[in-house]
């Protein structure tokens, strides 16, 4: 050994040097001489990744396969895009018997962070150091793993990594170039996978394509031969174990807390799916494999939930997205008393909370005594839970349950039931912002006339939009009159409940969303007056908000600044608008006086009698423009 090589007698120093070298540098060091080769080859070959789009496919040349045959025993971590890529390891990689980690479904763009436990990270570092992955093990694409394969010629001393062996011929190593069908590739891949698994008794972590769990030979060797296996997943199962529920516990804006000298403003993390379906019957014969598939999420979730339970008691704000009710329940049951709960949407599946789920309701009500802000606008939230919160939250200041205009209809409206409201007493008398639909109101005054596909016919000429004045409305009689009186009795009691919220500054009862995907248009007749053509998602069983139905019950809302009644069949006419201006001195915005009709929205011009926009405006809108121009109309 040359004097310069004696440094490698110190194991710890060798490890430190190797861990701070890139794959390219490790390959260069391995080509210096035999001593350097023996020192750095184990680090160079520790982790191997074969990408589908590698410009120079690994191990498909005689030199590459010879190198695999000679150095396969160094490989601890192997990632390939598909089992078919294991073909070189069947014959050329027969020395590859020390694997502890095999992922036969590797995708560079797939989320796998957060899946690996501490034990998994230890597996990845076996044969290198006691710590986590280092620079020398980071993924490098294409030739960075094997630069000698494409750039560096084999040294004349015969110590190169990939020079051909006399006992291995190029013809024996060359892969078949015949184009094979998908079924043949899948079958070959399963055969290759079985062969590699049979030679890898030290394997501890395994990921296989989902179809491989229907292959008896693969399941058998995993269940019977891999006695050290600790974590086992199908591709679908691993993919689903990305972040399923995001949560963030924080403090009120502007506040910080100090823990051991560190400023802490939030604690965030993920809970992962644990309810994935195990659809592969062959696993029934190997319970240990089934438990492995489910075990990692349970461990990760346990740690996260323990962190929530032990969180600083100053945390009062909770933000969650793309979550599952079971996860949200667990988080709420462990969180300290909360003032602020926000359920958001980040483009994934909407959160749905079953109305009959007592556990979910109890979890939310646990925070009712301290709750000040609740936002469920992006969720399919239960009206029973929402109503229970209103009856139990004396500190509530803001309720946001109106979905944003996402361009499509939500799976389930977030709403309150009018008949449920009149049989209860709300505790939330401090509410300042109330954004929630109130539906299930009997409306015998409405007749719905389907119009069919309005896109196939010219715009429909109809009278100016908006309800007419009270004296122009067709009077009801007989059974319809009785039904109208009963409806008004219900509406008056609902409005009386709203009228007790004397701190209200914003009252939002309408909606933003429209059903653009499958619109079904109809024309409403309210007390005999034809209105604009509206889409199917327009609220018909809502409060009419006329003086006749109890609008005067809201006379105590002296702080009200904004009223939103968009997309709902209200009957706010001239007398109602005049009453609002007189009784709500701080009123500055009214949205929804004009119906958002299909013609005006789709065809791009106002529908009504010929003439200007002003001529087609209803008299309640004209009166506001002339007498209270400071009030904004949307």
């Amino acid at each position: 050994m040359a004097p310069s090589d004696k440094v490698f007698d110190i194991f710890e120093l060798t490890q430190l040097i190797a861990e701070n070298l890139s794959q390219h540098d490790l390959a260069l060091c391995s080509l210096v001489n035999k001593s350097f080769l023996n020192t750095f080859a184990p680090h160079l070959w520790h982790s191997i990744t074969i990408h589908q789009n590698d410009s120079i496919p690994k191990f498909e040349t005689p030199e590459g396969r010879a190198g695999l045959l000679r150095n396969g025993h160094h490989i601890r971590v192997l990632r390939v895009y598909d089992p078919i890529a294991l073909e070189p390891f069947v014959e050329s990689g027969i020395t590859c018997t020390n694997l502890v980690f095999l992922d036969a479904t590797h995708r560079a763009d797939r989320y796998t962070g957060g899946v690996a436990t501490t034990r998994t990270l230890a597996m990845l570092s076996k044969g290198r150091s006691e710590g986590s992955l280092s620079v020398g093990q980071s993924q490098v694409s294409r030739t960075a793993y094997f630069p000698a394969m494409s750039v560096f010629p084999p040294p004349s001393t015969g110590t190169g990594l990939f020079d051909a062996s006399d006992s291995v011929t190029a013809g024996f190593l060359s892969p078949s170039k015949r184009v094979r069908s998908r079924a043949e590739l899948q079958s070959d891949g399963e055969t290759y996978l079985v062969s590699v698994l049979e030679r890898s008794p030290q394997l501890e972590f395994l990921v296989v394509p989902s179809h491989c769990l229907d292959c008896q030979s693969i399941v058998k060797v995993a269940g019977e031969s891999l006695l050290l296996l600790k974590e086992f997943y199908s591709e679908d199962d691993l993919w689903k174990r990305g972040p399923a529920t995001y949560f963030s516990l924080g403090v009120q804006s502007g506040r910080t807390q100090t823990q051991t000298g560190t400023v802490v403003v939030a604690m965030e993390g993920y809970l992962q799916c644990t309810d994935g379906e195990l659809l592969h019957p062959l696993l029934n014969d190997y319970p240990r494999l089934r438990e492995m598939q489910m075990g990692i999420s349970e461990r990760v979730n346990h740690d996260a939930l323990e962190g929530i339970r032990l969180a600083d008691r100053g945390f009062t704000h909770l933000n969650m997205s793309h979550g599952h009710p079971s996860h949200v329940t667990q988080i709420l049951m462990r969180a300290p008393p909360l003032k602020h709960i926000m359920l958001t949407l980040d483009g994934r599946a909407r959160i749905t909370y079953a109305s009959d789920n007592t556990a979910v309701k109890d979890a939310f009500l646990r925070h009712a005594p301290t709750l000040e802000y609740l936002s469920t606008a992006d969720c399919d939230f239960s009206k029973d839970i929402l109503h229970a919160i209103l009856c139990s939250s004396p500190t509530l200041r803001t309720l946001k349950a109106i979905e944003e205009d996402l361009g499509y209809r939500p799976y389930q409206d977030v709403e309150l039931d009018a008949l449920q409201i009149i049989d209860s007493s709300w505790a939330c008398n401090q509410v300042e912002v109330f954004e929630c639909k109130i539906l299930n109101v009997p409306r015998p005054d409405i007749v719905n006339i389907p119009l069919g596909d309005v896109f196939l016919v010219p715009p429909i000429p109809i009278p100016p939009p908006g309800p007419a004045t009270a004296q122009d409305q067709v009077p009801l009689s007989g059974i319809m009159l009785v039904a109208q009186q009963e409806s008004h009795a219900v509406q008056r009691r609902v409005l009386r409940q709203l009228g007790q919220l004397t701190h209200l500054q914003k009252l939002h009862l309408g909606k933003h969303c429209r059903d653009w995907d499958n619109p079904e248009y109809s024309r409403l007749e309210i007390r005999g007056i034809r209105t604009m053509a509206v889409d199917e998602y327009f609220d018909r069983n809502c409060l009419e908000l006329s003086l006749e139905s109890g609008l005067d019950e809201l006379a105590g809302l002296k702080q009200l600044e904004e009223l939103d009644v968009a997309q709902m069949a209200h009957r706010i006419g001239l007398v109602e608008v005049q009453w609002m201006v007189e009784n709500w001195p701080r009123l500055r915005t009214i949205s929804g006086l004009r119906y958002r009709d299909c013609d005006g929205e789709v065809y791009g011009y106002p529908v009504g009698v010929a003439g200007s926009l002003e001529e087609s405006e209803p008299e309640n809108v004209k009166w506001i423009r002339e007498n209270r121009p400071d009030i904004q109309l949307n």
Side-chain angles (χ1 to χ4, degrees), residues 26 79 283 483:
L26 287 170
R79 303 180 182 93
L283 293 179

Side-chain angles (χ1 to χ4, degrees), residues 352-405:
T352 302
Y353 301 94
S355 60
D356 59 350
N357 192 328
T358 303
V360 177
K361 180 186 293 186
D362 291 344
F364 276 97
L365 292 182
R366 179 174 176 268
H367 302 276
T370 58
L371 193 61
E372 297 179 3
Y373 181 100
L374 175 64
S375 175
T376 66
D378 294 322
C379 309
D380 300 327
F381 201 77
S382 162
K383 60 185 178 183
D384 291 341
I385 299 177
L386 192 60
H387 184 261
I389 291 174
L390 294 178
C391 294
S392 309
S393 301
T395 59
L396 191 65
R397 298 290 190 276
T398 300
L399 171 64
K400 291 181 175 288
I402 299 289
E403 74 281 352
E404 299 296 332
D405 191 359

Side-chain angles (χ1 to χ4, degrees), residues 405 454-455 459 512-514 516 521 532-535 538 566-567 594-607 634:
D405 191 359
V454 298
F455 292 99
H512 295 299
C513 193
R514 304 193 68 184
W516 289 109
Y521 291 98
M532 305 295 281
V534 297
D535 65 38
F538 191 89
Q567 287 286 83
R594 293 173 57 101
Y595 293 135
R596 296 172 61 189
D597 69 292
C598 67
D599 295 325
E601 294 281 335
V602 174
Y603 294 100
Y605 58 83
V607 176
N634 297 325

